[in-house]
Amino acid sequence: MTTAPMTTNLLEISDLSVTMPGRDSGSVKVLEGFDLTIARGEAVGLVGESGCGKTTTLLSILGLLPRGARVESGAITFDGVDLLRCTRRQLRTILGRRIGVIWQDPLAALDPVMRVGDQIAEVIRAHDDVGRGRAMQRAKELMRQVEMPDVEQLARRYPHELSGGQRQRVVIAAAIAASPELLLCDEPTTALDVTVQDQVLGLLGRLREELGVALVLVSHDLAVVGEMCDRVSIMYSGRIVEQGSTDAVFERPRHHYSVGLLASSPDIDRVGVRPDGIPGLPPGSVSESSCAFADRCGSADERCRSELPVLGRLGDRLVACHHPAVVRESVNG
Amino acid sequence: MTRTRYIAARLAQAVLVLVGVTILTFLLIHIVPGNPARTILGVHATARAVHELDQQFGLNQSLPAQLWAYFDRIIHGNLGTSYYYHSAVGPLITSALPVTVLLIAFGTILAIVVAVPLSLLAATKQGKVPDHLLRLVPMVGLGMPPFWIGFVLLILLSLDLRLFPSGGYGSTFGQHVQGLVLPAITVAAGTMPLLVRSLRASLIEILDSDFIRAATAKGLSRTRVLFRHALRNALLPMVSVLAVNVSFWVGSTVVIEQVFNLPGLGNLMLTGVLNRDFQVVQSVALVYGVMIVIVNLGADLLYSYIDPRVVLGE
């Protein structure tokens, strides 16, 4: 698809820090020293509780941070182009064309007064010099590709006339319309019925194989990430606390937050056993001088409350913890 | 409910409204002191002469009988005869109606044409200088009564600069348009601030919505995001504001037509009231009612056309 050497990373985020306007006049850090690299065709999961900075990361990549939010430092490089410093025009040739987005709430992400076929076709027309009819034809092909029935009829419907699953398929069709190299997925199945979730995930997996597209999957659903992703970054309060291959992190979590997160997801093999959960709530802003998880961590000591642990290599992964958890037997074992 | 059935139901409702308007106008006319025959014949006429003219007009009958006679005529398409002009009311209205309709249409279109770009500017520069200016300046316009704006425009643009006629409607279409420029600006000056306010507010809300972010992330041009996605959605609340406003202007044209000496419905109404020309007043009120009903029905239909989620009749 492109002539760039396969060894370069498709997306590189380095040392990204973002602030949002605070309740008073000050500003609150929501993302701090965030690093992430994604190779071509790779699928990476971003996991964490609400408000830990997952969505902020995605919006930073797209240059769509809400009003008042500021990128304080760092760089986001897509295939050699610095997305934070390029012109709007340059960004437009990348968004939609080389980076597609699958949004959390498909009903909110679709224009309520535009036919869904047109909403797919407009992506094609924005990036290719094709006529109306040709673009619509292509839009219908895409709708078939995302396994929608009665395409001729559904293309003329408005978003509110479709079911949740069909809407998400439209969003996916629009995201892959210009054959992007990277798909950003923001909780792609959270707003869907459980039965539809599996179908959409299956579709995403299949598309990934067919198109060879790289994937950033933001989710708090560990099962989804485990199924879809090669690597995973566990986020807590604006920072990455553990990063490694999905198998390694899920089977032998080393950060105590990862341990708690994995323990609090329900296990089909332990029906009737209530998941443990993590006591307490995440802090509101990024901490500078202590481990943000210290207050909720069973293994925390004085050092955790006075010294920020940095993300460092620990065997097969990166962990930001002064007292990493001892490797247990496999959780699924 | 299908569109046709909805329109039929609304029209049936409208008939009831118009009957109400007619009865109310009829009562108001007869409550207000003054007698057409006396007005026509003058203060020195004898009681006998007045009585004879009353009889000729049918004014000595009981009120219900007069009301019934009026309805009977209307159903047969006869709007009666003007006491003052000594001619049928129908043609009087057909010649006055286009003036008022053109005035309101012209003024409203002008207001929209000015308000849309200003609101886009204010909404995209929210909290910056253009936004503050655009929130302040139209308020000044809103604070001034229409007739006063009319006078200022007349003095500045007609009397001093001689750019436009100082009043009147002329006899050719070109003259009509020329004569309507200043009155239309007066109408627009009252409508535009309201439009800017509502359009700015809905644009700001829409520009912060997910589907605008999604549209931007598709790599669409800023123009397409603003006009095809943001503005199209912002038009919905604007239609409601316009419908209310147009109804308001139907009444306000009485004053504006007076200021600019336009031979419209307002003018006809005012002369009618001053001369106790019952037939004219009654019929003009009915036409005003019809206009407002049509505007509101049109707004509802337009609403369902712009927004596919709106189901007529719900």
Side-chain angles (χ1 to χ4, degrees):
Chain A
M1 189 186 297
T2 104
T3 51
M6 292 301 286
T7 47
T8 52
N9 282 318
L10 184 60
L11 183 76
E12 284 186 22
I13 303 178
S14 57
D15 193 34
L16 183 68
S17 296
V18 176
T19 56
M20 296 261 198
R23 207 157 289 172
D24 309 313
S25 54
S27 56
V28 179
K29 278 198 173 155
V30 289
L31 207 59
E32 176 69 30
F34 183 90
D35 291 292
L36 186 72
T37 58
I38 289 152
R40 290 183 182 280
E42 190 186 25
V44 174
L46 284 184
V47 176
E49 287 164 296
S50 308
C52 70
K54 296 170 294 184
T55 303
T56 305
T57 310
L58 287 195
L59 294 179
S60 310
I61 299 171
L62 299 167
L64 287 173
L65 285 171
R67 275 174 65 84
R70 262 171 52 102
V71 174
E72 298 293 335
S73 68
I76 301 176
T77 315
F78 179 81
D79 198 20
V81 183
D82 185 344
L83 296 184
L84 295 177
R85 282 157 197 92
C86 69
T87 61
R88 224 179 200 179
R89 186 172 291 272
Q90 219 177 344
L91 191 61
R92 273 218 311 270
T93 62
I94 293 175
L95 297 187
R97 173 77 188 80
R98 304 183 64 192
I99 301 180
V101 190
I102 297 168
W103 302 87
Q104 173 170 2
D105 180 356
L107 185 59
L110 293 168
D111 185 334
V113 302
M114 194 189 236
R115 296 178 198 280
V116 293
D118 291 326
Q119 303 202 38
I120 301 169
E122 71 176 350
V123 184
I124 299 157
R125 297 201 69 196
H127 301 288
D128 286 317
D129 189 20
V130 293
R132 218 171 240 280
R134 182 74 196 88
M136 184 50 85
Q137 225 178 340
R138 177 91 185 93
K140 287 172 183 165
E141 284 165 25
L142 285 159
M143 288 172 75
R144 283 187 203 101
Q145 199 179 350
V146 296
E147 296 159 3
M148 291 180 76
D150 303 326
V151 166
E152 294 296 329
Q153 221 208 339
L154 290 189
R156 294 188 52 75
R157 296 261 177 92
Y158 290 95
H160 74 280
E161 297 170 326
L162 300 182
S163 69
Q166 283 174 332
R167 278 181 215 134
Q168 192 58 302
R169 284 171 202 272
V170 170
V171 170
I172 294 173
I176 63 169
S179 317
E181 294 140 72
L182 175 66
L183 273 182
L184 305 180
C185 313
D186 185 8
E187 310 257 8
T189 55
T190 313
L192 304 177
D193 287 344
V194 183
T195 47
V196 184
Q197 287 185 1
D198 276 348
Q199 295 171 16
V200 169
L201 283 176
L203 173 67
L204 274 179
R206 190 171 64 67
L207 287 174
R208 206 195 134 205
E209 263 170 44
E210 282 173 14
L211 308 171
V213 65
L215 212 67
V216 175
L217 182 67
V218 164
S219 183
H220 60 253
D221 188 335
L222 295 169
V224 171
V225 172
E227 195 180 325
M228 301 280 299
C229 297
D230 309 315
R231 285 194 300 133
V232 61
S233 291
I234 311 279
M235 292 184 71
Y236 187 76
S237 183
R239 296 178 199 268
I240 293 178
V241 292
E242 183 163 5
Q243 189 173 59
S245 81
T246 313
D247 292 344
V249 172
F250 277 23
E251 287 181 19
R252 297 175 302 278
R254 301 299 304 273
H255 194 284
H256 297 282
Y257 174 64
S258 315
V259 175
L261 201 61
L262 285 157
S264 48
S265 70
D267 190 336
I268 196 76
D269 298 329
R270 294 190 298 160
V271 179
V273 180
R274 198 181 150 81
D276 294 342
I278 307 171
L281 289 168
S285 90
V286 175
S287 74
E288 298 293 339
S289 57
S290 65
C291 174
F293 191 59
D295 289 343
R296 302 169 72 186
C297 180
S299 311
D301 62 6
E302 269 320 298
R303 191 180 169 209
C304 300
R305 288 181 235 282
S306 58
E307 185 190 335
L308 180 75
V310 286
L311 194 66
R313 182 149 293 281
L314 185 74
D316 53 358
R317 75 199 64 198
L318 299 171
V319 179
C321 180
H322 293 311
H323 313 290
V326 201
V327 178
R328 293 187 290 158
E329 281 307 300
S330 160
V331 172
N332 296 329
Chain B
M1 203 184 301
T2 66
R3 177 163 301 226
T4 337
R5 274 193 60 189
Y6 174 76
I7 296 175
R10 282 289 303 266
L11 287 179
Q13 251 176 31
V15 170
L16 284 180
V17 170
L18 293 177
V19 168
V21 166
T22 306
I23 295 176
L24 207 65
T25 321
F26 183 84
L27 291 177
L28 279 175
I29 291 173
H30 287 88
I31 288 168
V32 173
N35 172 301
R38 175 60 76 188
T39 314
I40 291 166
L41 296 172
V43 278
H44 301 298
T46 61
R48 189 194 157 115
V50 171
H51 180 76
E52 269 173 14
L53 203 55
D54 269 350
Q55 206 146 25
Q56 195 187 322
F57 291 156
L59 290 170
N60 52 353
Q61 290 172 312
S62 70
L63 278 189
Q66 286 187 48
L67 183 60
W68 181 251
Y70 179 73
F71 273 124
D72 189 51
R73 276 207 309 276
I74 291 230
I75 288 163
H76 294 94
N78 180 359
L79 292 177
T81 310
S82 160
Y83 310 145
Y84 179 74
Y85 296 101
H86 300 290
S87 66
V89 174
L92 286 178
I93 285 180
T94 17
S95 74
L97 182 64
V99 181
T100 303
V101 170
L102 267 180
L103 169 59
I104 296 174
F106 202 179
T108 304
I109 291 169
L110 196 63
I112 297 173
V113 167
V114 176
V116 166
L118 289 187
S119 319
L120 273 171
L121 186 67
T124 48
K125 306 253 181 242
Q126 193 197 345
K128 297 186 185 148
V129 177
D131 184 30
H132 290 307
L133 277 179
L134 284 169
R135 279 199 286 173
L136 203 71
V137 176
M139 283 310 108
V140 180
L142 203 59
M144 297 185 289
F147 71 88
W148 191 79
I149 296 179
F151 281 134
V152 171
L153 287 174
L154 271 179
I155 292 168
L156 278 179
L157 300 178
S158 296
L159 303 183
D160 282 359
L161 299 173
R162 303 202 169 276
L163 290 177
F164 299 100
S166 61
Y169 191 58
S171 47
T172 64
F173 186 72
Q175 286 172 336
H176 294 346
V177 171
Q178 256 197 327
L180 282 174
V181 171
L182 293 186
I185 293 178
T186 312
V187 169
T191 306
M192 196 268 284
L194 297 173
L195 283 188
V196 171
R197 267 182 86 105
S198 85
L199 205 52
R200 172 186 174 276
S202 41
L203 273 172
I204 284 174
E205 197 190 318
I206 288 165
L207 285 174
D208 192 39
S209 61
D210 283 353
F211 71 86
I212 292 298
R213 267 187 286 280
T216 314
K218 282 173 170 178
L220 306 179
S221 70
R222 185 78 179 144
T223 324
R224 187 170 171 92
V225 173
L226 281 181
F227 284 86
R228 193 72 177 79
H229 292 285
L231 195 59
R232 179 95 198 267
N233 279 277
L235 286 181
L236 301 168
M238 194 180 94
V239 170
S240 316
V241 174
L242 269 182
V244 173
N245 224 265
V246 167
S247 306
F248 164 77
W249 283 110
V250 167
S252 295
T253 47
V254 175
V255 177
I256 294 182
E257 284 172 13
Q258 213 57 34
V259 170
F260 291 97
N261 190 26
L262 292 173
L265 284 179
N267 220 325
L268 196 60
M269 178 68 132
L270 197 65
T271 349
V273 170
L274 292 176
N275 293 305
R276 302 291 179 271
D277 201 347
F278 289 177
Q279 304 294 332
V280 168
V281 174
Q282 189 84 63
S283 298
V284 174
L286 186 63
V287 172
Y288 277 154
V290 171
M291 282 169 74
I292 289 172
V293 164
I294 289 176
V295 166
N296 281 306
L297 182 58
D300 282 356
L301 293 179
L302 191 60
Y303 213 91
S304 79
Y305 172 75
I306 298 177
D307 190 346
R309 288 164 300 179
V310 172
V311 180
L312 290 173
E314 272 182 11

